[in-house]
Amino acid sequence: MPPLVKVENLVKHYAARQSARSSDRRIALDGVSLSIAPQTTVALVGESGSGKTTLALCIACLEPPTSGSISFEGIDLATLDKSHLRALRPQIQLVFQDPASSLNPRWTALDIVSEPFLVQQRFTKPDRAVRALQLLDRVAIPRRLAGRTAAELSGGQKQRLAIARALALEPKLIILDEALSALDCSVQAQIANLLLDLQSSLGLTYLFITHDFAMAAHLADQIAVMARGRIVESGSAKNILCSPNHDATRALLAATPRFIESPAELVHA
């Protein structure tokens, strides 16, 4: 089966200052290649500043790469004009680390989940409300909270709401950028299990960005380890977790206390 997403030799430079010369550029991505098969989860693991989020933004067409290519379902994204890119955008959605900053605190849960329908001009107003309520049901937010503002919800409820909004336009790829790291451990586990259930029932593909190998082990089929803008090691979750080859991988594993005794036991089946 061909990959849903294929990244080849992706490079991203940022100018260090306004009058920067070529030698005054920060290299965020340095020749990154990555494939994501349909209906699987790839965990992108690395320390802060390793380039994980930059790669995600490039895949989501929110940052233009300096060079290299990104294809989605075999289509080179660089070849798309604005109208075709707009048509593709609903297929790639993001869920961010801090739902409090990505959700309008004054909007109700129903309004937040309905917004993608309004932006894409889909459905009538009554139909938008019905579909939004169905999405709240799917992420286990009680309907009695539909009229609550985001500011009135707990952290876990906010993240469920962010996931419901991401699901609204029936995407094929969801990019989860540290989406669990701001939550308590018990809530992390609940949201992780919700993500697995949604993947199974909806056929979703995830790019899961994290620094936590324990959570990557629970969710991922494949793991890619990033350091200094490069993927330094990649493979099946079991192989990466049980037989790490790169120093960066071993350092991240050592920083995950839950994982040290028996990594094999935590690998997602």
Side-chain angles (χ1 to χ4, degrees):
M1 182 180 296
L4 180 70
V5 178
K6 188 173 183 180
V7 177
E8 292 185 295
N9 199 30
L10 200 70
V11 174
K12 177 65 179 177
H13 293 172
Y14 290 101
R17 53 181 181 269
Q18 189 172 2
S19 59
R21 299 183 301 275
S22 60
S23 59
D24 295 325
R25 297 183 182 274
R26 181 174 70 85
I27 301 174
L29 299 175
D30 188 11
V32 172
S33 296
L34 179 73
S35 291
I36 308 176
Q39 301 180 31
T40 65
T41 299
V42 172
L44 194 61
V45 185
E47 295 180 340
S48 296
S50 60
K52 305 186 303 296
T53 296
T54 301
L55 177 57
L57 293 176
C58 289
I59 292 173
C61 303
L62 298 176
E63 282 283 356
T66 303
S67 64
S69 66
I70 304 169
S71 63
F72 185 84
E73 293 191 311
I75 300 171
D76 186 347
L77 299 183
T79 66
L80 298 180
D81 58 26
K82 289 184 178 180
S83 62
H84 286 93
L85 190 57
R86 178 179 172 83
L88 179 102
R89 283 190 186 280
Q91 299 298 314
I92 305 173
Q93 296 294 311
L94 292 97
V95 177
F96 297 100
Q97 178 177 1
D98 182 12
S101 63
S102 64
L103 302 175
N104 189 322
R106 298 181 180 179
W107 284 19
T108 67
L110 193 66
D111 289 338
I112 287 169
V113 180
S114 300
E115 184 190 19
F117 301 136
L118 185 62
V119 170
Q120 291 288 323
Q121 299 180 347
R122 297 187 185 182
F123 315 121
T124 63
K125 186 174 181 179
D127 285 343
R128 289 198 294 267
V130 169
R131 289 174 180 271
L133 286 172
Q134 292 171 343
L135 286 166
L136 294 180
D137 291 341
R138 189 173 283 278
V139 299
I141 293 179
R143 291 196 176 194
R144 59 183 171 80
L145 300 181
R148 300 273 184 93
T149 65
E152 297 176 285
L153 302 179
S154 68
Q157 289 168 340
K158 287 187 182 77
Q159 200 59 296
R160 288 175 185 271
L161 186 57
I163 293 168
R165 181 179 63 180
L167 293 173
L169 299 178
E170 300 180 343
K172 294 181 180 178
L173 173 68
I174 296 183
I175 300 172
L176 302 151
D177 190 359
E178 296 282 6
L180 304 180
S181 62
L183 305 173
D184 294 338
C185 288
S186 61
V187 180
Q188 279 187 7
Q190 293 170 14
I191 301 296
N193 290 333
L194 171 65
L195 291 170
L196 290 173
D197 290 343
L198 291 171
Q199 184 174 51
S200 177
S201 60
L202 300 177
L204 296 169
T205 304
Y206 295 140
L207 177 60
F208 179 63
I209 298 172
T210 185
H211 61 273
D212 184 351
F213 260 117
M215 196 53 67
H218 184 55
L219 287 172
D221 304 288
Q222 302 283 319
I223 292 177
V225 181
M226 285 198 73
R228 298 182 180 181
R230 297 181 177 183
I231 292 179
V232 296
E233 186 170 4
S234 64
S236 71
K238 183 175 181 180
N239 287 343
I240 294 295
L241 299 170
C242 298
S243 303
N245 292 319
H246 198 277
D247 288 343
T249 310
R250 289 191 285 267
L252 287 165
L253 280 169
T256 310
R258 287 174 285 171
F259 202 71
I260 293 172
E261 292 184 4
S262 181
E265 294 180 0
L266 294 177
V267 176
H268 166 50

